[in-house]
Amino acid sequence: KSVTSNKGEIMATRVGVIGAGGMLQYHAPGFRQGGGELVAIADVNKEAAQASADEWNVSQVFGNTEELLDSDIDAVSIIVPNKFHAPLAIQALEAGKHVFCEKPPALNAGEVEEMIAAAEKSGKVLMFNFNNRARPESQAMMKHIADGTVGRINSAQAQWIRRTGIPGFGGWFTTKELSGGGPVIDLLHMIDLALYFMGYPEPAHVLGQTFDDFITDKAFKGPWGIPDNADGKTDVEAAAHGFVTFKSGQVLSLRNSWAEMIEREVVSVVFQGSRAGGRVERLFGSDGLDDTAIDTCELYTQKEGKSVNQKIETEPCEDMGRIASAANFVETIEGTAAPLNTPQEALKLMQIIDALYQSAETGAPVAL
C-alpha cells in the first residue's frame, strides 16, 4: 500500500492537516513516528497555520481546504469543530486522500454513513482518533482478552464523569449545532473503549436520560477548553446516563458528565467476563488534573477458591495514546500495521449515542 515513485522507490506517506488546533502537538509527532511526513497545514486563520508550520517545520501553509487538497499530499488529518468533520472528510475522500479524523466521528450516525460511502467509493483509508485504544494499558488488557483469559465479556461499565469540567460557555463545545452534544459526544472515549474490549457487538436497545443541571453555572467550568462567548449558545447536556443491550446478550452501562455532583473526576472501563473481570482507570494528581499519565490496569480472577487481583504493569504514556494513534493511521496506509479502529465501529458508536439522545427526549427505550 506504500506510495511508490516513478523510479520504484518507496515514498513516505505525505500528510496535510486541516486545522491548526492543539491536537496537532500529537498528530505531528505521531505521523512522523509512523513513517509519514507532515508536509502541509491549512486553517481559515492562515496566521495560526503559519505559526504551527513554523513550530513543526512544515513547508506548505494554506488558508483553505481546497488548496490543501490540490497539493501533493496522500492523506489528511482533520482537527476542527465537530460540525465540520463529515463534510471535510467527505471532501478529502472524494479528492482521493486517506482521512484521519478527530473524535467524535461526526454529529450523528447518518453523517458517518455518508463518510463510509465516500471511503468505499474512493478506496481510501478512513480512521478516527480513538486514542485511548492506543494507550499501553488498553493494549495490555486487549492481549488478555484476545488470548482467552477473560472469556466472553458479559457486562461492562463505562464512565467519564467530572464535577467541574464544562469547557467554556457559549463556545462550539456547548453549542449543539456545532458539537452535536455535550459530554456524551466530547467524552465518548470510555464508551468506545468498553465496546472495543467487548468486540464491538451489534446494539439492540438503548435507554438513556440526560440532565442539564449546572450547565450554565460558571462555578462548574473546567480548567481546559476554550474562552467563554457571551453571545454564544449553551444548549447541551451537563450529564447523561444510559444502558445498552446488544444482540449478543451483552450489556453496557454508561455515564458521562461535565458537571455532576461526584467526588472529582472518574475515567474508567470496568468489565465482567466469563473467566475474568478487569478494570482500566485513570489516576489523577492532587490538583485533580491528569498529570500522572498512568492508568491502573487490573484483572480479577478466582484461583483455588480464592479471589486474585492481578495488576498489569505498563509504561507511563504522557500523551494518552494520541501519538501512537496517529502513527497507526500512517502504518495502516502503508500496510505495516492493522488499523486500531474501523468506520463500521464508528458507525455503531454514533448509533448508540444518537439512540441515547433520542431515548432521553422521548422517555422510552430505542430499538436499533
Side-chain angles (χ1 to χ4, degrees):
K1 292 183 179 179
S2 299
V3 179
T4 306
S5 72
N6 54 16
K7 295 181 180 179
E9 302 166 322
I10 301 296
M11 299 174 63
T13 299
R14 295 165 59 85
V15 184
V17 173
I18 303 174
M23 291 302 292
L24 185 58
Q25 65 182 304
Y26 307 109
H27 288 220
F31 298 143
R32 290 168 179 170
Q33 179 178 300
E37 291 183 59
L38 179 58
V39 299
I41 299 175
D43 196 291
V44 290
N45 181 345
K46 196 170 182 179
E47 290 182 358
Q50 186 63 61
S52 294
D54 293 342
E55 179 180 358
W56 293 104
N57 193 27
V58 175
S59 57
Q60 300 179 74
V61 175
F62 302 105
N64 63 67
T65 302
E66 289 74 17
E67 291 178 350
L68 175 77
L69 296 178
D70 285 339
S71 68
D72 185 22
I73 59 172
D74 308 302
V76 299
S77 167
I78 297 174
I79 313 174
V80 296
N82 305 347
K83 179 180 179 179
F84 307 107
H85 286 186
L88 288 176
I90 292 167
Q91 185 181 358
L93 289 163
E94 290 177 344
K97 314 302 181 185
H98 303 286
V99 170
F100 185 65
C101 184
E102 267 302 325
K103 62 81 187 171
L107 292 182
N108 53 59
E111 289 188 347
V112 178
E113 289 177 330
E114 294 176 11
M115 296 163 82
I116 291 173
E120 290 176 346
K121 186 174 181 179
S122 68
K124 298 300 179 180
V125 170
L126 170 62
M127 291 177 65
F128 301 93
N129 191 20
F130 298 138
N131 57 280
N132 280 269
R133 297 192 191 192
R135 289 186 71 120
E137 300 87 0
S138 302
Q139 288 302 303
M141 186 64 80
M142 277 300 291
K143 289 180 181 178
H144 291 284
I145 294 170
D147 69 12
T149 299
V150 169
R152 166 191 155 103
I153 294 178
N154 295 319
S155 54
Q157 299 80 46
Q159 56 181 356
W160 193 323
I161 53 178
R162 292 172 174 160
R163 187 189 299 183
T164 54
I166 298 172
F169 299 87
W172 71 262
F173 276 102
T174 66
T175 305
K176 190 167 186 178
E177 180 187 358
L178 298 175
S179 64
V184 177
I185 290 268
D186 181 38
L187 305 178
L188 54 70
H189 288 289
M190 294 301 109
I191 304 172
D192 170 71
L193 188 60
L195 293 168
Y196 179 54
F197 288 159
M198 297 173 79
Y200 251 89
E202 291 288 339
H205 294 89
V206 178
L207 177 65
Q209 186 58 274
T210 58
F211 302 90
D212 59 9
D213 303 83
F214 321 122
I215 193 60
T216 58
D217 188 334
K218 298 296 177 69
F220 287 84
K221 184 174 180 175
W224 49 83
I226 56 180
D228 294 344
N229 176 7
D231 298 324
K233 290 183 180 179
T234 299
D235 60 354
V236 296
E237 80 278 4
H241 297 251
F243 190 77
V244 187
T245 65
F246 299 91
K247 295 176 182 177
S248 59
Q250 296 162 283
V251 296
L252 169 68
S253 60
L254 59 94
R255 182 180 171 199
N256 284 48
S257 61
W258 282 337
E260 193 171 37
M261 289 302 191
I262 63 161
E263 59 272 35
R264 185 174 61 193
E265 178 161 7
V266 180
V267 183
S268 67
V269 171
V270 183
F271 61 80
Q272 299 75 41
S274 59
R275 296 196 181 109
R279 174 189 297 271
V280 175
E281 183 169 359
R282 187 77 40 85
L283 298 179
F284 291 90
S286 58
D287 58 359
L289 298 179
D290 183 11
D291 61 359
T292 62
I294 298 173
D295 279 2
T296 60
C297 192
E298 295 180 329
L299 277 175
Y300 308 127
T301 59
Q302 287 290 110
K303 294 183 180 178
E304 299 177 358
K306 296 182 179 179
S307 299
V308 177
N309 295 357
Q310 177 187 343
K311 190 169 180 61
I312 302 171
E313 300 285 350
T314 60
E315 291 294 318
C317 180
E318 294 182 5
D319 62 88
M320 294 186 283
R322 290 166 175 150
I323 291 174
S325 179
N328 177 253
F329 170 62
V330 174
E331 292 163 351
T332 298
I333 292 170
E334 298 190 350
T336 59
L340 274 175
N341 62 79
T342 69
Q344 289 300 327
E345 291 169 347
L347 177 59
K348 288 181 190 176
L349 177 63
M350 291 310 301
Q351 287 172 335
I352 289 170
I353 290 173
D354 286 356
L356 186 148
Y357 284 138
Q358 183 182 343
S359 176
E361 188 174 332
T362 62
V366 173
L368 292 170

